[in-house]
Amino acid sequence: MGGLASLFSSPLTQLAQAASPDISHGPRSGKEVALTFHGAGDPKIASELLNLFKSTSTPVTIFAVGTFLKENPSFAKEILDVGHDLGNHTLTHTQMKTIPAKKVESEIAGCANLLKKLIGNHGSFFRPSGTQYSTPLIRKTALKYGYKNCISYDVDSHDYQDPGAKAVIKSINEGVKGGSIISLHFGHANTVQAMPTIIENLNGKGFKLVSLSQMLGNIG
C-alpha cells in the first residue's frame, strides 16, 4: 500500500489512520505536481524563493521548522498571504526515528503550538524530520495533535547535499510523474539557482504546480 491509500481511511478509525502509510504522492491519473519545502536555514534564501514563487504564481507547500519560525515569525503570515500551505516540520529538526516517545511528542507539539500562536491553527500538514518515512509512534503522536496523515514524498531533489543546480534539476526531471510530491529545502543556494528552470521544465511538460491542499484536499 502507498500514496493515496491513507486518504480513504475512515475518520471513525483513528487507530487505523495512525497505522496507515505516509502519503508520498497524489493521484497518478492527473498532471498535478507539488513542490514541498523543508523550511529552515538562511532567511535571505527563503525570501528569494518566496519572491520567485510570487512572481511566477507558483503555489508551494512549506513544512516549517519551529526554531526557524521563532527566529523569523513574519514568514508565517507571508507564506499564507500569497496562498501557500504552511505545515509542521517539528520544533528543532531532530532525527525523529531515533528519539524517545516524549521527545517525539515535544517535537510535534512544540511546532504545532507555535503555528497556532502565529496563524491560529496547527498548520496544514505534518512531515517528520530526519526521515523520509514516519513510524507508527510518529503517526500516532501526529494524530494526537491533529495531523491525520504524515506527508512523505516520491521525488527527492537532494538539494540539501548541495550538489549544484544542474544535479538538482536532473533529480527532479528524472523522477517526476503525475501526482509527484517533490522534496526541496530552504537554505541552499543551489535550490534558488535551480528553481526557475525547475518551474519552467515542469510547466513545459504539461504539469500543473499545486499546493498539497490543492492536490490532496484538507486531509492534514
Side-chain angles (χ1 to χ4, degrees):
M1 296 176 67
L4 287 180
S6 55
L7 287 177
F8 301 107
S9 299
S10 168
L12 300 178
T13 56
Q14 289 195 344
L15 291 178
Q17 284 181 323
S20 66
D22 303 332
I23 296 175
S24 59
H25 64 81
R28 292 301 195 193
S29 57
K31 296 285 285 184
E32 292 185 338
V33 170
L35 299 175
T36 69
F37 290 80
H38 303 238
D42 187 344
K44 292 182 180 179
I45 293 179
S47 291
E48 287 185 62
L49 286 168
L50 290 175
N51 287 336
L52 173 62
F53 301 145
K54 185 175 182 179
S55 67
T56 57
S57 300
T58 302
V60 301
T61 299
I62 297 156
F63 292 93
V65 176
T67 50
F68 175 80
L69 285 181
K70 282 185 177 180
E71 295 172 359
N72 306 278
S74 63
F75 273 103
K77 186 174 185 299
E78 181 180 348
I79 288 166
L80 293 182
D81 281 352
V82 291
H84 303 309
D85 288 342
L86 180 61
N88 181 334
H89 195 39
T90 75
L91 183 61
T92 68
H93 203 267
T94 188
Q95 298 292 315
M96 290 290 283
K97 282 187 175 181
T98 67
I99 57 177
K102 286 186 177 180
K103 181 65 172 173
V104 169
E105 181 157 4
S106 67
E107 284 290 323
I108 296 173
C111 189
N113 290 336
L114 182 58
L115 285 166
K116 287 179 183 178
K117 181 179 178 181
L118 293 174
I119 65 173
N121 60 72
H122 60 53
S124 299
F125 302 97
F126 172 74
R127 172 176 284 169
S129 58
T131 175
Q132 183 174 356
Y133 301 106
S134 67
T135 64
L137 172 62
I138 293 171
R139 292 193 290 273
K140 180 180 177 180
T141 309
L143 184 61
K144 178 179 177 180
Y145 288 92
Y147 306 102
K148 298 175 185 177
N149 301 92
C150 292
I151 304 297
S152 183
Y153 48 88
D154 65 322
V155 179
D156 190 346
S157 70
H158 300 286
D159 61 342
Y160 64 94
Q161 297 174 334
D162 297 313
K166 288 184 179 180
V168 173
I169 293 166
K170 182 180 179 182
S171 292
I172 293 175
N173 281 345
E174 291 180 348
V176 69
K177 59 187 70 174
S180 281
I181 297 176
I182 300 172
S183 172
L184 293 142
H185 294 73
F186 281 1
H188 295 268
N190 56 192
T191 309
V192 178
Q193 295 159 4
M195 194 51 53
T197 301
I198 291 170
I199 293 172
E200 181 180 359
N201 286 351
L202 292 173
N203 286 330
K205 292 179 178 180
F207 291 112
K208 180 181 180 181
L209 296 173
V210 297
S211 65
L212 281 179
S213 61
Q214 291 171 315
M215 177 184 281
L216 304 176
N218 187 25
I219 54 84

